[in-house]
Every structure is written in C-alpha cells, then in structure tokens.
Amino acid sequence: MIIDWTKIWQKMYDEMKNEVAKFKTKPTLWAILVWNNSSSLRYIKQKKKWAEYVWINFKLEQFDEKISEIELYNKIKSFNEDQNINWYIVQLPLPKHINQTKIINNIHPKKDVDWFHPNNQGKVLIWDETAFIPCTPAWIMEILKHENINVEWKTVCVIWRSNIVGKPIISLLINAWATVLACNSKTKNIEKFTTQAEIVIVAAWSPWLLKVNMLKVWAIVIDVWFTIINEKIHWDADTKLIDLVWSKVTPVPGWVWALTVACLMKNTIKAYKLQNK
Ligand code: GUN
C-alpha cells in the first residue's frame, strides 16, 4: 500500500492558511540561491509558489555560481544584521569551492527557519521546547503521525547519516521513544538490521539498496531519495516493494519536494508566531 501523501500535504496547507489569515502582517521569507542546478531551481520555484499560496512574501537573492566564499560569507553577515530580514534560507547544496558547513554555521540561529545551524540542531538533539524541526525529518514525523504510527516500543532502522536528514531524524525518533538502529553505506550485513525493524527509513541515494527480502512482514518503508540514471528514477527501495500489500511505501516523484516545502512554510509561520507573541 502506498501512503497517500497528498492528504497529509493538503491538511498541512489548510491549517497553515487558517493560521496566516489571522496574522496582522504578512511574514517574509528570504532565500539565497547560489548554485543553479535543476534540483535547487525546482526547490526555489516551489518555495516561492507555496509561500505565496499561504500568504508569505518570498524574496530571492540569486548569485553567480562563481561567487567566492568570502563574498557569500559577507552576504550572510549582511542578512544577519539586516533588521528587515527576519528569516532566510540558503539553498543547498553550495558549489564545491564553498565550505557549506562554514556558511551554515554563520546563519543567525534565530533567522534559520531551515533549522540547520548547529545551535538549532543541538536543540533537536536534546529536545528543547523552542526547537523547530528541520524540513525533511519534519515530514517523516508528520507521515508517521498522520498514519497513527506510534514509534514507542518499535524498532526503526534509519539508513543514512547526513546532517540534514539522517542525524536529526535519529534524534527525533529517540525523543519519541523509538529504538533506533542507525545504519549507513558502510554497515556490514545491513539486512541484519533492516530485518529487525518495524519501520525502515532510507535516505542513502543508493539505487535499490533496500530489497524486499531485507524486510520484516508488515514493515513500513519510508523512502526519501531517488537517483536519476538514464532519465529513469531509481528509488533507494526496490520498486517491487510497491507490490507488497503489507508494506506502506512512499515512492512518488515530486512528493519529497512538496512535503519539504510545506514544512518550511510551517517553520516560517511558527517563527512569525513566536516573534509576535
Ligand atoms: N536542499 C535540499 N533540501 C534542502 C532543504 O530542506 N533546505 C535547503 N536550504 N536546501 C536544501
């Protein structure tokens, strides 16, 4: 069975529209785009479209890909100091000649609605009450909530260790009392772990890494990424999984973008509410 993400997505936007309708002013979200690869351009286009849909101004500053690290750093500094800029994001990835970590570490934590700054990531780790949730892990938790899947007493296997998805989702699951098996591409005999899990979350950018025989019966699979090879989409989970009626899988192109963008809007609305309390 495939989870119907559109229902979750629609509900999120309905709730957001209702909330923003009560605001006295229109929130503004700024974005910095440096690398014009097709994925980032698509993200930015979607962010603009859906921000406007929920009555959030979206302002984009676009730079040449050859911008130096110091120039970008200075731009970040000016965004941090600008009283008119309350919240902004830096679209990732950045070109190879720029140290991504250094740039993220310089975003003002209070303006960071993507929740990537180490101070903010730390709040997720210790589950501080003022924490937001980084966008991709946020929708994974939204899906589990929407499907009435309580992770308490359950074993969840997470395959990947990235800072923007793997590590925060591991923290969120631990905070929700799951037993978490944290795997990665160097895990030996990964099936030893996946076969123990009631839920498997895979975000490895590794085509068909997760096969049907690596799962428990009734396992729920949340597949985050796909790779495009020869114009064909290859999910991290073998698409044959779709035929397994007892698994809930989520491989629908476009949905990762849609839900990540929705969660960014949710964070921006939450930031606005906190500021105008
Ligand atoms: N690139 C891929 N996902 C994201 C995201 O959630 N935020 C930003 N800023 N860049 C991304």
Side-chain angles (χ1 to χ4, degrees):
M1 188 181 102
I2 298 173
I3 293 172
D4 183 2
W5 65 272
T6 53
K7 274 199 196 129
I8 305 169
W9 178 73
Q10 192 60 53
K11 188 166 167 263
M12 285 173 75
Y13 275 107
D14 288 347
E15 284 169 7
M16 286 195 271
K17 273 195 123 172
N18 283 340
E19 281 200 284
V20 182
K22 293 181 208 135
F23 292 173
K24 290 197 182 79
T25 51
K26 215 172 168 175
T28 301
L29 172 64
W30 291 75
I32 291 179
L33 175 65
V34 178
W35 193 11
N36 297 325
N37 61 64
S38 60
S39 165
S40 291
L41 282 172
R42 182 164 177 192
Y43 257 124
I44 287 291
K45 226 168 118 187
Q46 294 289 318
K47 286 173 183 176
K48 181 173 163 42
K49 175 175 171 187
W50 293 101
E52 286 165 359
Y53 180 77
V54 287
W55 211 58
I56 293 174
N57 281 320
F58 186 83
K59 298 211 175 175
L60 176 66
E61 284 234 18
Q62 207 166 338
F63 299 96
D64 191 284
E65 277 170 40
K66 294 197 181 75
I67 188 174
S68 68
E69 191 177 278
I70 188 76
E71 277 175 293
L72 185 61
Y73 169 80
N74 285 334
K75 194 72 215 168
I76 299 286
K77 208 161 158 256
S78 74
F79 265 52
N80 289 343
E81 285 160 6
D82 191 334
Q83 306 255 327
N84 293 316
I85 297 179
N86 291 311
W87 309 290
Y88 70 94
I89 59 159
V90 177
Q91 187 61 38
L92 302 179
L94 293 172
K96 297 259 177 315
H97 67 277
I98 298 175
N99 182 332
Q100 194 158 290
T101 309
K102 199 164 151 189
I103 295 299
I104 290 173
N105 290 359
N106 280 289
I107 297 174
H108 194 298
K110 286 210 165 116
K111 299 193 177 194
D112 167 34
V113 271
D114 257 331
W115 218 247
F116 287 164
H117 188 280
N119 284 14
N120 291 336
Q121 294 259 13
K123 285 187 177 184
V124 174
L125 186 69
I126 61 169
W127 197 237
D128 179 303
E129 293 214 324
T130 61
F132 288 17
I133 307 183
C135 304
T136 307
W139 62 246
I140 298 175
M141 297 307 281
E142 263 320 312
I143 285 180
L144 295 174
K145 191 174 99 192
H146 187 266
E147 295 293 306
N148 291 320
I149 300 163
N150 184 352
V151 297
E152 272 181 29
W153 306 104
K154 292 204 176 68
T155 302
V156 185
C157 179
V158 176
I159 311 177
W160 206 223
R161 53 188 277 284
S162 68
N163 288 339
I164 66 170
V165 183
K167 287 177 197 157
I169 193 67
I170 288 167
S171 304
L172 290 165
L173 290 164
I174 293 171
N175 293 337
W177 290 95
T179 302
V180 184
L181 305 172
C183 297
N184 59 67
S185 57
K186 296 192 180 173
T187 304
K188 267 196 204 155
N189 302 329
I190 205 163
E191 64 282 358
K192 270 196 187 161
F193 302 92
T194 56
T195 47
Q196 285 182 53
E198 281 97 18
I199 303 168
V200 180
I201 298 170
V202 57
W205 254 310
S206 177
W208 295 339
L209 170 78
L210 189 68
K211 302 269 194 306
V212 174
N213 60 1
M214 292 163 70
L215 291 169
K216 225 182 190 166
V217 174
W218 296 106
I220 293 157
V221 176
I222 298 190
D223 185 349
V224 181
W225 302 133
F226 57 81
T227 317
I228 297 179
I229 305 170
N230 296 334
E231 294 176 21
K232 273 185 91 178
I233 288 177
H234 298 268
W235 290 89
D236 284 354
D238 189 332
T239 43
K240 284 194 209 93
L241 285 172
I242 296 167
D243 300 335
L244 291 184
V245 286
W246 55 82
S247 299
K248 282 183 173 161
V249 291
T250 49
V252 184
W255 74 287
V256 174
W257 278 287
L259 286 172
T260 303
V261 171
C263 288
L264 176 66
M265 299 314 146
K266 210 172 152 179
N267 278 357
T268 308
I269 290 167
K270 187 171 171 185
Y272 178 94
K273 285 200 316 201
L274 282 175
Q275 196 186 57
N276 292 280
K277 220 168 35 184

